[in-house]
Amino acid sequence: MKLRMRLALTTVAVAIPVALCMGWIHLVIETRAVETALSEYALAYMTTEARKQCETAPETWSPEGSRARRPPRGPPPPERFDRPNGPPSGDGRGPPPRPREPRGNTRLFAYGPDLVARHPQAPPLEPSLASAMRQGLDVAGRALGWGGPNDARDVLVRMPWNSGPCAFVLVRMSGRPGPGPSWYSPIPPEFWLLPTVMSLVGVLFALGPVVRRLRQLTGEVKVFVRSTYQGPITVHGDDEISELALAFDEAGRAIHAQIDLKEKREQTLRSFLQNTTHDVMIPLTVLQGHLAEMQRRAAQGEPVEGEVIAAASQEAHYMAALLHNLGAAARLEAGEPGMQRARVDLNALVGRCIGRHRPIARQQGVQLEHAVPEPPVFVLGDDTLIEQAVSNVIYNAVRYNARGGHVAVVLEHEPGSTFRLRVLDDGPGIPEHELPHILERHVRGDAARTRGPGGHGLGLAIASRVTVLHGWSLKLGRSEYGGLQVDFVGEESAPGQKDA
Amino acid sequence: MGERLLLIEDDPQLGAQISGCLERAGFEPTWWTVGRPLPPSEASTYRLVILDLMLPGTYGLDILRELREGSSDVPVLVLSARNDTADKVRALKLGADDYMTKPFWPEELVERVRARLRRPMLQRQSLVEAGSLQVDLDSREVRVLGKPVELTRVEFDLLAALARRRGASVTRQWLAEHVLDPEREGTERTLDVHVSRLRRKLGPGKHIETVWGIGYRLGEGEDP
């Protein structure tokens, strides 16, 4: 339902009962006025003469008043009663003037003190009227029809003498003859129709600009949505509609910011995926090259050199490490929620890392040694991430070392229930000036993914992120043997500490 | 006659590779290509089970759970292609003894299997043997090729510290702190001096190995 229609219906629904209520009050006042007028009429009529007539022949006394018998005084002004100013003479001048037009005829009946009429045509008294008189009231009225002021009604009036066969007089007004249409309402239309129509017109008139502004706002919001929440909403003013426009504007900006963020993330993800594919494709291509070379030599009956096989193995190993790192990077991007916290045996973890890289170290002619303490070191953290971090550092040390080089991994208890895990090598190391910056690289940074010598990138960046996530510290420096030394230092988990 | 191992791996190539590699390493592997429940009576005929987690039809962890519910304590080494901590933690909680993430080198797998089989025998012994060297930790007697060797207190403590963790590297720092008298010259340089004296006394067997970047280790030694 449109706003206009809704408001119009609401107005009507509210205006009509209010108007009817006011009309009803008007009706009650009118009715009371009519009853007063009729009783005054009866009192005025019952002058000494009329009383005498009544008391002498109560069986036949029943005078009628009608328009025809009205005194020729000109029509009374409408909406007002013509009240008699004094007792009418009752002699041929007719009964006193009756209330306003249109007005039905009146007829009087007399009743004795016992409220019984002698006149055979006199109607029996309504019990309500009779009881009112017995209670001592002077006047009681009762409507015979709808109850409107113009309707037929009985008014019973106590006469001042209070005795004889005419102690009470009943004025019966026969009401309007009913020339009006069938929808005749006791409440005049000016009491309900006019206010209703006026308020309806007023509402519709006042609603015009509101509806126009709302339509304008709707149009702008539609354009706004089509343009993916760009551009302003221009509905101004200082009412609720402009507040709504402002709210739309704010919501739009928020959505726009979200979309921007999402697009940026998607862009990053896309480039990450492309870079990753690129990263994996290179070692895969190198591996294929090595395999092809081996096949060629085997076909020609030449001996396959150990170096070619070692190189191929290294590529395969590199790919495995890369894929593990990409998995770790994805989990690190997710942040804390992606992290498990459980008790991790670092001794066993170091053992696994050594086991993973020893075959490749052996092929490369690098001696890989390790030492772990007794009792073992336990920490609280994510097993996979820690293993990947430690593994990366060990692998870098092995990979960038020369044939005949050494790598040592040493896990120790330190005072204050902390541990220290050192990975030291006698390889080329990292230039002093690069050391402070090497950990600042972002996991997804291009520099982090550099593959050549010195490109300690992705692996080291992951190690750095993992240590930060665990609240540990990662320190890079020169080893006493000239190569790189990487120190993980962190808190040990207390023996009673369970998985978190 | 090697130790009997059970391998549950659905991939034919990988299964054949692992199986062949275990055979060459002197084990006697049985290879199942499909996962099915392993009753404890049957499990007890194997020294170790290598279980792949991603099996068609069955989830490897279910086999493990049923096995442990049947109160079998055969060691289980879990293989997984997924490097997922939650999986590992679950496997370990269900009673797996170790896990390996694919890809791995055959050599690495054999090492892990050996380490797992060796573990129950790593009990504290008072007599440690390394090649031709015998160290009695209780009576503080040292013999090389059966002949007693006289050692000073520090020298014996040094050898005993290495002998207690035979095969494992021990850092010089730890040795210096735990073996040398802290009130006297407790430096790592002093330690090196003691080691070279000890080596001379033990003869040319090269039992005490120098480990680069770490310290020393008691190895099998070489026949003189």
Side-chain angles (χ1 to χ4, degrees), chain B residues 64-118:
Chain B
L64 177 61
R65 189 187 295 115
E66 282 166 25
L67 187 66
R68 289 298 183 238
E69 277 168 4
S71 67
S72 165
D73 56 358
V74 61
V76 175
L77 172 58
V78 164
L79 298 183
S80 172
R82 281 202 299 180
N83 197 6
D84 181 42
T85 313
D87 265 8
K88 288 178 199 165
V89 170
R90 212 174 303 137
L92 292 178
K93 272 188 182 158
L94 280 178
D97 296 81
D98 202 357
Y99 62 83
M100 286 193 79
T101 313
K102 294 173 191 170
F104 49 80
W105 295 99
E107 189 183 335
E108 195 183 343
L109 176 71
V110 170
E111 272 306 308
R112 293 282 273 279
V113 170
R114 281 208 180 110
R116 188 47 58 187
L117 293 179
R118 198 163 52 220

Side-chain angles (χ1 to χ4, degrees), chain A residues 317-475:
Chain A
H317 195 78
Y318 174 72
M319 265 191 291
L322 187 65
L323 286 176
H324 278 315
N325 272 338
L326 294 174
R331 289 189 50 210
L332 286 172
E333 283 301 311
E336 279 285 346
M339 216 178 103
Q340 296 265 338
R341 276 202 183 272
R343 234 165 103 83
V344 177
D345 181 347
L346 272 195
N347 280 31
L349 187 143
V350 168
R352 282 198 300 273
C353 290
I354 297 293
R356 197 198 288 183
H357 298 298
R358 186 166 274 152
I360 210 73
R362 196 167 288 161
Q363 284 189 13
Q364 218 178 308
V366 173
Q367 199 187 335
L368 177 59
E369 296 288 357
H370 76 293
V372 290
E374 276 301 333
V377 175
F378 281 95
V379 294
L380 212 56
D382 189 308
D383 198 334
T384 311
L385 287 180
I386 300 171
E387 188 168 328
Q388 197 55 33
V390 174
S391 174
N392 281 340
V393 174
I394 297 175
Y395 182 39
N396 275 345
V398 170
R399 214 172 97 181
Y400 299 113
N401 216 320
R403 186 161 283 276
H406 301 85
V407 176
V409 182
V410 184
L411 178 64
E412 294 160 302
H413 291 286
E414 294 272 297
S417 73
T418 55
F419 73 89
R420 183 161 73 134
L421 176 66
R422 283 181 294 152
V423 179
L424 54 157
D425 64 61
D426 52 2
I430 295 174
E432 203 79 43
H433 64 274
E434 275 187 32
L435 281 176
H437 309 293
I438 200 150
L439 290 180
E440 290 168 12
R441 290 174 180 167
H442 194 260
V443 172
R444 286 177 173 178
D446 276 345
R449 297 176 23 257
T450 316
R451 185 176 135 90
H456 290 258
L458 182 61
L460 214 45
I462 284 174
S464 166
R465 288 285 296 277
V466 170
T467 50
V468 168
L469 266 180
H470 284 83
W472 301 347
S473 73
L474 181 69
K475 216 169 64 197

Side-chain angles (χ1 to χ4, degrees), chain A residues 10 22 24 54 75 103 128 149 157 202 222 242 297 301 328 342 352 359 383 388 398 444 457 487 489:
Chain A
T10 312
M22 287 169 65
W24 179 252
C54 171
R103 187 61 69 188
S128 64
V157 185
K222 277 183 181 162
S242 58
R297 281 169 187 263
R352 282 198 300 273
D383 198 334
Q388 197 55 33
V398 170
R444 286 177 173 178
D487 284 31
V489 177

Side-chain angles (χ1 to χ4, degrees), chain A residues 10 26 43 59 64 112 130 140 159 196 314 330 347-348 361 373 390 443 460:
Chain A
T10 312
H26 162 79
L43 283 171
E59 295 85 359
E64 267 181 87
M159 289 295 127
T196 306
Q314 275 173 37
N347 280 31
V390 174
V443 172
L460 214 45

Side-chain angles (χ1 to χ4, degrees), chain A residues 267-320:
Chain A
Q267 183 58 42
T268 322
L269 196 68
R270 258 198 303 278
S271 71
F272 182 57
L273 201 64
Q274 282 169 1
N275 291 338
T276 305
T277 312
H278 170 259
D279 286 1
V280 177
M281 286 312 169
I282 290 178
L284 205 54
T285 311
V286 176
L287 180 61
Q288 284 180 347
H290 288 314
L291 287 175
E293 172 70 8
M294 284 186 242
Q295 199 182 22
R296 189 186 62 76
R297 281 169 187 263
Q300 290 178 359
E302 291 176 27
V304 177
E305 286 171 25
E307 269 181 34
V308 178
I309 296 170
S313 301
Q314 275 173 37
E315 290 306 321
H317 195 78
Y318 174 72
M319 265 191 291

